[in-house]
Amino acid sequence: MQKKIFLNESDMPTHWYNIVADMPNKPLPPLNPKTKQPVGPEDLAPLFPMELIKQEVSAERYIEIPDEVREIYKIWRPSPLFRATGLEKMLDTPAKIYYKYEGVSPSGSHKPNTAVAQAYYNKMEGVKKITTETGAGQWGTALSFACAQFGIECEVYMVRVSYDQKPYRKIMMNTFGASVYPSPSNRTNAGRAILGKNPDSSGSLGIAISEAIEMAVQNDTTKYALGSVLNHVLLHQTIIGQESIKQLEYAGDYPDVVIAPLGGGSNFAGIAFPFLHDNLVNGKNVRLLAVEPASCPKLTQGEFMYDFGDTAGYTPLLPMYTLGHNFQPAAIHAGGLRYHGASVLCSQLLKDGLIDAVALQQLECFEAGVKFAKSEGVIPAPEATHGIAQVIREAEQAKKEGREKTILFNMCGHGFVDMQAYNDYFEGKLTNHTFGENELKEGLTEIRSMQPSA
Amino acid sequence: MQKKIFLNESDMPTHWYNIVADMPNKPLPPLNPKTKQPVGPEDLAPLFPMELIKQEVSAERYIEIPDEVREIYKIWRPSPLFRATGLEKMLDTPAKIYYKYEGVSPSGSHKPNTAVAQAYYNKMEGVKKITTETGAGQWGTALSFACAQFGIECEVYMVRVSYDQKPYRKIMMNTFGASVYPSPSNRTNAGRAILGKNPDSSGSLGIAISEAIEMAVQNDTTKYALGSVLNHVLLHQTIIGQESIKQLEYAGDYPDVVIAPLGGGSNFAGIAFPFLHDNLVNGKNVRLLAVEPASCPKLTQGEFMYDFGDTAGYTPLLPMYTLGHNFQPAAIHAGGLRYHGASVLCSQLLKDGLIDAVALQQLECFEAGVKFAKSEGVIPAPEATHGIAQVIREAEQAKKEGREKTILFNMCGHGFVDMQAYNDYFEGKLTNHTFGENELKEGLTEIRSMQPSA
């Protein structure tokens, strides 16, 4: 049986797919937190190149991928689709399991799909430097690589605690030529203010965002980049799902369910939106299932309302499923899933019942990750184990019901630079997390007062 | 231009290629160190399954790859061949540069090509457990993965200093289900003897080998496995070069020079031997160039004579280019290249002028590695940077001479779990190494007394 399905480079999709075109209810606009009025392109211009702002608000169904971006994509794209024959055998399941593997990219995750596109549009508009924040480091690594391709300087503010705990990620960024600063840093007013109060601050993504934004707005040729949540970021990831559909065609198959972990939403959107197009336009009926960690369950326990995208409250108000921008998720190793909200597009689709969500505990996820490593030979990133755990649930259900079922999941990255997480798991240092409902209630009460009047 | 050349799984070679069949001078036999008589299969039977011993002494040109092994190979094989368009552009060279990328394997290097084969033959002969040693951890990881595929227990003795310095490698082995012990350990007589003298011993590959061998010979269903040097190990790697030839055919190209780093010889042999077959049998004239570290230059400064394969002197005497089995190479990060001798097959071929060798300093190699990461998006293992540095030399030479030239090299692994090496390089902690000629003279004098009488 064929294990891997590759596409030729000439079969690589030529356009990104924009789900907005097919959404029955269009996403609500982001709001200015003071005026509660919709934010216009001019508000975003200091941060992003105009072409990305246009994509952010576009309702065109297909947006062409520039040739220069496609050339760089060829380093790792089209990415392989695998039949998980080893896992199927281990589970003794009648289900057919496929996974799209994004770990073959330069940074080892799906993030370069948007990083390269963003770096390209910045380059076209004369940008010399891009600033960003990074937590666990996946996004910072991807942007560092992308900037190196276009000769753009890259400056990364890395949350202090991750900077200290995950030195390999920092070194990877340095290797691609980026400057990496632990955040809070003394390079910005925002950083200095925090350090003034607490010189030992371990930082947060919110602080790092404000440092990166502060550096970007100071200079016309410096811009800022974000690795998830925004519409244009999700757009760039849709190449994943489009390739998967073609690859499954070659395999003569089509999924009953598509599974992916959801942090901000770009990984999930990347594989799910092209299948959702099939549901909405081509009469298909595939279940689209986002998996979130039980310790940060915005989709299954959060509420749909306007909230800030960042902890510090610098962004516009975004309509999304949220646990409140002050919610502090437990320090699970799946750093990419520790985000209080879900992207506007994913949130609207969940509200409209077009996608589903489930929350899983981390011990089940790591157990699944080890099974996958042994049976498939690929050690998954902690984020990716959430998808795998749900796949195993579905495959076991199929076995119980004695029916064939085709499962596709997005294996968003490898775990080579996250091995400490596995060690903590083996040593029994990890626990499951009871979600703090009281904390949630408090956080959401605060946000309720910020909602625009109906 | 096409960036990657893939083969279909159905195009995967069905046989390994055995260079012995085509060597004008056959390799000299290994000798019993006491009797100086050739070692027979029965001497190796306590350590290896009979099928591998047969391969070790075979002169058959092609040996069939079992279907079960090919099935597991499909997890990552055929591996991709890349055109290094980014590096070519960065160097502004008229040379065409191709690289065969073995980093896509489960352990991130070429090692699983032989690990899977060895685990398979052990399984067929009823072996329940395989012991081995590992230094930096590449080999131990590969064997751990391979054993997991066949349900064989795997026990790895990891040199203490690496065990402490490279925890990620140890955790990877654990994830694939292996038991990993720092060596010297108190599990063996050999280990206990060392610890008795020096409880803080940082270990050595020689000690780890003796621990693994001691555990293997105690039990009929336990065997031992080695990751390089031996003929059957080199044999299994020849799938690399065979695939490369097919892939270059699809690209309509053929190399003028094939380059690979050489530690024990399996990586070099893997890509070079099938091209050497073309030289010897098909009238081709491709230069085959092994790259070794200047700090461990057995090929360019060692002598061809009989020596032990290990530091402790447990192995048969092998005819090879050696710096003396007591030679202690500098602690460079390219751990896989820190071996005092070259495999019997590579040594005989070098002696006969059928392959070439060059020694490079590590600063040049890391500089090359960083260039490669930025231009090609793949961070190379420290071992692999040795090949890249030589590629850059050849490409710059081609530019100077203004002539086209086709260069192929074996990119034997990625550097995701070796990032500390890059950090040390960036922080200026690494130096070049002047090779100690006096030390060499002393080591070789000792060995001269062990040679069989002519």
Side-chain angles (χ1 to χ4, degrees), chain B residues 71-217:
Chain B
E71 275 305 306
I72 297 172
Y73 276 175
K74 284 187 193 170
I75 291 177
W76 73 100
R77 303 212 74 87
S79 69
L81 182 81
F82 284 84
R83 176 82 183 265
T85 45
L87 184 63
E88 288 174 17
K89 198 172 145 196
M90 179 187 263
L91 299 174
D92 187 26
T93 175
K96 289 185 278 181
I97 305 173
Y98 294 91
Y99 64 97
K100 179 71 168 168
Y101 187 37
E102 291 292 307
V104 293
S105 85
S107 69
S109 81
H110 63 294
K111 296 288 186 193
N113 296 331
T114 184
V116 171
Q118 292 191 49
Y120 167 76
Y121 290 116
N122 273 286
K123 180 72 177 182
M124 287 304 102
E125 299 186 22
V127 171
K128 306 285 185 213
K129 188 203 275 195
I130 302 178
T131 65
T132 198
E133 72 288 338
T134 200
Q138 283 282 12
W139 166 242
T141 315
L143 190 67
S144 302
F145 157 73
C147 285
Q149 301 311 300
F150 293 105
I152 300 173
E153 207 181 320
C154 183
E155 191 169 293
V156 181
Y157 292 85
M158 185 173 190
V159 177
R160 173 100 235 175
V161 58
S162 297
Y163 184 93
D164 292 337
Q165 281 177 355
K166 296 179 186 265
Y168 278 27
R169 277 283 168 202
K170 182 226 160 207
I171 307 165
M172 287 174 74
M173 292 184 253
N174 291 152
T175 305
F176 288 131
S179 304
V180 186
Y181 301 99
S183 168
S185 79
N186 57 15
R187 297 172 55 82
T188 65
N189 291 330
R192 281 187 293 267
I194 303 281
L195 289 173
K197 285 185 226 158
N198 177 11
D200 297 326
S201 166
S202 60
S204 73
L205 215 46
I207 297 167
I209 291 176
S210 44
E211 290 206 276
I213 288 180
E214 187 180 323
M215 291 306 281
V217 296

Side-chain angles (χ1 to χ4, degrees), chain B residues 166-442:
Chain B
K166 296 179 186 265
Y168 278 27
R169 277 283 168 202
K170 182 226 160 207
I171 307 165
M172 287 174 74
M173 292 184 253
N174 291 152
T175 305
F176 288 131
S179 304
V180 186
Y181 301 99
S183 168
S185 79
N186 57 15
R187 297 172 55 82
T188 65
N189 291 330
R192 281 187 293 267
I194 303 281
L195 289 173
K197 285 185 226 158
N198 177 11
D200 297 326
S201 166
S202 60
S204 73
L205 215 46
I207 297 167
I209 291 176
S210 44
E211 290 206 276
I213 288 180
E214 187 180 323
M215 291 306 281
V217 296
Q218 280 172 29
N219 193 314
D220 277 356
T221 58
T222 301
K223 300 276 180 193
Y224 167 77
L226 200 67
S228 189
V229 179
L230 297 179
N231 300 357
H232 69 268
V233 179
L234 274 59
L235 172 78
H236 300 152
Q237 295 292 356
T238 57
I239 191 166
I240 300 174
Q242 293 184 73
E243 285 180 4
S244 303
I245 290 173
K246 282 195 193 183
Q247 285 164 313
L248 284 169
E249 250 175 54
Y250 284 119
D253 220 331
Y254 195 85
D256 297 298
V257 57
V258 173
I259 294 170
L262 188 146
S266 78
N267 171 57
F268 173 78
I271 197 158
F273 285 3
F275 286 97
L276 184 52
H277 173 262
D278 273 2
N279 282 355
L280 293 168
V281 177
N282 297 330
K284 296 280 189 182
N285 187 25
V286 51
R287 188 177 176 216
L288 304 167
L289 185 52
V291 187
E292 61 183 4
S295 54
C296 191
K298 60 251 184 182
L299 298 174
T300 55
Q301 300 204 44
E303 284 191 33
F304 182 88
M305 50 179 136
Y306 270 98
D307 193 5
F308 289 112
D310 66 321
T311 313
Y314 289 98
T315 70
L317 289 171
L318 302 171
M320 59 184 184
Y321 279 92
T322 179
L323 300 167
H325 63 278
N326 286 317
F327 177 74
Q328 284 285 339
I332 58 169
H333 277 286
L337 307 183
R338 295 178 67 241
Y339 183 68
H340 68 277
S343 71
V344 171
L345 296 176
C346 292
S347 293
Q348 186 64 47
L349 294 168
L350 181 67
K351 187 161 180 278
D352 292 341
L354 298 172
I355 63 173
D356 286 336
V358 61
L360 298 184
Q361 290 284 3
Q362 74 170 341
L363 291 182
E364 178 179 346
C365 295
F366 273 103
E367 189 188 339
V370 172
K371 279 184 185 161
F372 193 80
K374 283 185 183 163
S375 59
E376 290 293 319
V378 185
I379 299 178
E383 290 82 358
T385 65
H386 287 72
I388 298 167
Q390 184 61 30
V391 166
I392 291 178
R393 284 189 176 199
E394 303 274 339
E396 285 175 345
Q397 184 66 26
K399 186 179 178 183
K400 204 177 289 176
E401 295 171 4
R403 69 187 187 90
E404 247 202 26
K405 182 159 126 189
T406 299
I407 303 168
L408 168 67
F409 78 99
N410 195 358
M411 170 76 176
C412 50
H414 63 65
F416 287 132
V417 264
D418 299 294
M419 293 313 302
Q420 189 56 45
Y422 283 87
N423 199 50
D424 290 352
Y425 170 67
F426 292 134
E427 293 188 347
K429 289 181 185 166
L430 303 185
T431 56
N432 286 333
H433 290 94
T434 310
F435 175 65
E437 289 196 26
N438 288 337
E439 195 182 356
L440 171 66
K441 222 169 269 176
E442 209 172 294

Side-chain angles (χ1 to χ4, degrees), chain A residues 1-4 6 9 74-75 77 82 106 145 149 168 170-172 174-177 370 373-377 379 414 416-417 419-420 422-423 426, chain B residues 1-4 6 9 74-75 77 82 106 145 149 168 170-172 174-177 370 373-377 379 414 416-417 419-420 422-423 426:
Chain A
M1 188 191 300
Q2 203 178 340
K3 176 80 187 159
K4 302 178 296 296
F6 282 102
E9 289 173 3
K74 284 187 193 169
I75 291 177
R77 305 213 72 88
F82 284 84
F145 157 73
Q149 301 311 300
Y168 278 27
K170 181 225 162 206
I171 308 166
M172 287 175 75
N174 291 151
T175 305
F176 288 130
V370 172
K374 284 185 183 164
S375 59
E376 290 293 317
I379 300 177
H414 63 66
F416 286 133
V417 265
M419 293 312 302
Q420 189 57 45
Y422 282 87
N423 199 50
F426 291 133
Chain B
M1 189 190 298
Q2 203 178 341
K3 176 80 188 160
K4 302 177 296 296
F6 281 102
E9 289 172 4
K74 284 187 193 170
I75 291 177
R77 303 212 74 87
F82 284 84
F145 157 73
Q149 301 311 300
Y168 278 27
K170 182 226 160 207
I171 307 165
M172 287 174 74
N174 291 152
T175 305
F176 288 131
V370 172
K374 283 185 183 163
S375 59
E376 290 293 319
I379 299 178
H414 63 65
F416 287 132
V417 264
M419 293 313 302
Q420 189 56 45
Y422 283 87
N423 199 50
F426 292 134

